[in-house]
Amino acid sequence: MTDNTTRLDHVVLWVRDPLASADFYEKAVGMEPVRITDFAAGAVPFPSVRLNDETILDLMPLTMVERMKMLPGAAESAGHPVNHVCLALPGDAFEALRARLEERSVPVSEISYDSFGARGMARRSFYFRDPDGNVFEARHYD
């Protein structure tokens, strides 16, 4: 990629079981797992899942809390509330995501209409939680 404009690179989520979380994000949400084999072998400290060509979610095990020393108080971020992370999808992928979540008995909210986001007004959106309780919104603009 040669476009160096400012954009979101990654989001780090605290999770109890990174492999179970990666499985959820792969099978229920449709994301590509990254570094799963390396994590399982102990070669890397956490796995990730790919949202798109530019953005990943890092699945940070809660066992890493004590190693978070990049800033004073960084370890206390484990369990720190983030309201939600929003995924913008094409309309067909929005429908497929909702269907996969429902197939796996993942509770989803009612669909809401015309909510504001980074690209203006989204036609539809809904919310769901991952296995660690992180809240996600799924939306589409088209």
Side-chain angles (χ1 to χ4, degrees):
M1 184 170 150
T2 57
D3 179 2
N4 289 317
T5 59
T6 303
R7 53 182 32 100
L8 185 62
D9 184 83
H10 68 276
V11 173
V12 179
L13 300 174
W14 286 110
V15 300
R16 290 182 299 275
D17 182 340
L19 294 176
S21 293
D23 186 67
F24 171 81
Y25 285 107
E26 177 183 13
K27 293 179 179 153
V29 184
M31 295 180 176
E32 174 191 349
V34 178
R35 303 186 338 156
I36 299 299
T37 304
D38 291 340
F39 174 75
V44 297
F46 57 88
S48 304
V49 289
R50 182 162 296 287
L51 176 64
N52 58 39
D53 289 343
E54 300 176 351
T55 310
I56 60 174
L57 301 180
D58 292 335
L59 306 174
M60 186 68 66
L62 284 167
T63 56
M64 293 285 293
V65 168
E66 296 304 318
R67 295 176 62 185
M68 296 293 110
K69 300 186 186 301
M70 70 287 281
L71 290 171
E76 287 79 34
S77 72
H80 183 71
V82 170
N83 186 274
H84 70 277
V85 175
C86 182
L87 307 175
L89 308 151
D92 57 343
F94 175 89
E95 295 292 344
L97 170 59
R98 189 169 177 95
R100 284 192 308 273
L101 293 169
E102 289 174 343
E103 285 170 9
R104 288 167 177 76
S105 300
V106 175
V108 296
S109 72
E110 295 294 322
I111 291 179
S112 60
Y113 299 89
D114 300 321
S115 61
F116 180 77
R119 293 188 232 164
M121 298 303 282
R123 289 191 55 212
R124 298 182 300 162
S125 66
F126 70 89
Y127 294 84
F128 64 94
R129 290 182 187 271
D130 76 0
D132 290 281
N134 295 302
V135 177
F136 282 81
E137 176 184 0
R139 62 172 43 211
H140 75 94
Y141 289 93
D142 56 353

